[in-house]
């Protein structure tokens, strides 16, 4: 069965520092991959998605992610973190079987704290 | 922009009550989803629907039912609420597509069962 692993439950970075959030997926073929962000008390907002093509994808709020097939990874990066980036981040993979028409499988999330 | 609206941000109900959570989307999406979110467990899929009057069980359907009488509206029903159903509930919608499509989420309903 497909799965998504976010190894880090909680990460703290200083404002202005770079950020990398890890995501690993299990699936044989090229998956559709997504990163979402959830601010406290809010729903999830799509940051970026990868369907095919260039393995480095740009998203909103200055985020980018790189698809690495050899490592089954889709890590999220930002060169300089702002205090407003403090939130929970979810990686997701599109479900791949005959009957699926758009389901996503989510990781358990990584909570990001930002130190002043 | 797609808008997914959940009828209540906060809701407090009593054990044994029948509880309705409503979700409306304005982009004519075929797919709609209900998740519950608990700390450390991420998002867990309760039910989803590919079309009007169609529904499919997700990973944790026990204790819940759904209704989709109109394309834009997807209701989650707690038949007899219990304290272990206290949680954040998230509704989402998307277009259909093999391999997954971006889902658009509402702001969530934080439900407390006393």
């Amino acid at each position: 069965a497909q799965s998504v692993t976010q190894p880090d439950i909680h990460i703290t970075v200083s404002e202005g520092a770079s950020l990398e959030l890890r995501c690993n997926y299990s699936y044989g073929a090229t998956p559709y991959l997504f990163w979402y962000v959830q601010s406290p008390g809010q729903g999830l907002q799509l940051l970026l998605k990868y369907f095919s093509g260039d393995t480095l994808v740009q998203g909103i709020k200055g985020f980018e992610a790189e698809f690495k097939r050899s490592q089954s990874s889709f890590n999220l990066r930002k060169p300089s973190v702002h205090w407003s980036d403090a939130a929970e981040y979810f990686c997701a993979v599109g479900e791949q079987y005959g009957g699926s028409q758009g389901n996503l499988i989510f990781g358990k999330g990584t909570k990001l704290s930002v130190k002043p | 922009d797609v808008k997914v609206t959940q009828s209540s941000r906060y809701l407090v109900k009593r054990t044994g009550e029948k509880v309705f959570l409503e979700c409306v989307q304005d982009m004519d999406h075929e797919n709609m989803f209900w998740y519950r979110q608990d700390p450390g467990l991420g998002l867990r899929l309760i039910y989803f629907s590919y079309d009007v009057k169609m529904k499919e069980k997700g990973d944790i359907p026990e204790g819940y039912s759904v209704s989709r009488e109109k394309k834009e509206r997807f209701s989650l029903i707690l038949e007899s609420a219990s304290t272990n159903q206290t949680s954040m509930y998230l509704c989402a919608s998307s277009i259909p597509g093999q391999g997954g499509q971006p889902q658009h989420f509402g702001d969530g309903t934080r439900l407390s069962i006393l």
Side-chain angles (χ1 to χ4, degrees):
Chain A
Q2 289 177 264
S3 65
V4 177
T5 301
Q6 294 180 246
D8 304 304
I9 296 172
H10 191 184
I11 283 182
T12 300
V13 300
S14 297
E15 191 167 16
S18 64
L19 170 71
E20 183 168 27
L21 301 182
R22 296 184 291 164
C23 173
N24 295 97
Y25 65 90
S26 68
Y27 181 63
T30 301
Y32 291 179
L33 295 160
F34 308 83
W35 273 101
Y36 284 84
V37 60
Q38 184 181 34
S39 298
Q42 303 294 317
L44 275 68
Q45 180 184 21
L46 181 69
L47 282 176
L48 48 80
K49 61 183 185 287
Y50 172 76
F51 281 5
S52 65
D54 193 346
T55 56
L56 185 65
V57 293
Q58 303 296 322
I60 62 171
K61 303 179 189 250
F63 285 92
E64 66 179 25
E66 187 171 12
F67 170 62
K68 292 186 176 180
R69 182 192 303 276
S70 61
Q71 298 176 20
S72 298
S73 69
F74 188 57
N75 294 350
L76 182 71
R77 301 194 294 247
K78 187 169 185 178
S80 177
V81 168
H82 187 262
W83 65 266
S84 60
D85 293 323
E88 192 156 19
Y89 292 80
F90 292 90
C91 181
V93 63
E95 202 162 38
Q96 306 270 354
Y97 63 87
S100 172
Q101 294 187 40
N103 290 21
L104 301 183
I105 299 167
F106 287 87
K108 288 186 167 46
T110 297
K111 186 172 182 180
L112 174 66
S113 297
V114 180
K115 289 190 300 186
Chain B
D1 266 1
V2 176
K3 185 134 182 81
V4 179
T5 303
Q6 295 185 231
S7 54
S8 305
R9 293 296 303 275
Y10 301 93
L11 206 54
V12 180
K13 296 291 182 181
R14 297 210 172 271
T15 304
E17 280 193 71
K18 191 169 186 176
V19 180
F20 294 85
L21 303 184
E22 306 288 346
C23 175
V24 177
Q25 51 96 2
D26 66 358
M27 282 302 291
D28 204 36
H29 284 172
E30 285 81 358
N31 295 352
M32 295 190 76
F33 307 85
W34 274 108
Y35 296 89
R36 68 175 279 176
Q37 182 180 19
D38 300 287
L41 298 179
L43 276 72
R44 293 181 290 169
L45 183 63
I46 305 171
Y47 268 96
F48 56 100
S49 169
Y50 292 152
D51 202 349
V52 176
K53 296 193 185 296
M54 294 186 68
K55 59 185 178 185
E56 299 279 348
K57 292 180 180 179
D59 300 319
I60 52 164
E62 296 78 20
Y64 303 94
S65 64
V66 290
S67 172
R68 193 160 180 207
E69 295 297 317
K70 294 185 178 182
K71 191 173 187 179
E72 67 270 19
R73 186 180 296 271
F74 193 36
S75 303
L76 180 69
I77 304 157
L78 285 65
E79 297 289 345
S80 177
S82 64
T83 55
N84 62 13
Q85 292 177 309
T86 291
S87 187
M88 171 75 122
Y89 290 87
L90 292 166
C91 175
S93 72
S94 77
I95 61 173
Q98 183 73 16
Q101 294 294 328
Q103 292 183 11
H104 302 267
F105 285 81
D107 284 337
T109 296
R110 188 163 293 282
L111 175 64
S112 296
I113 306 296
L114 305 179

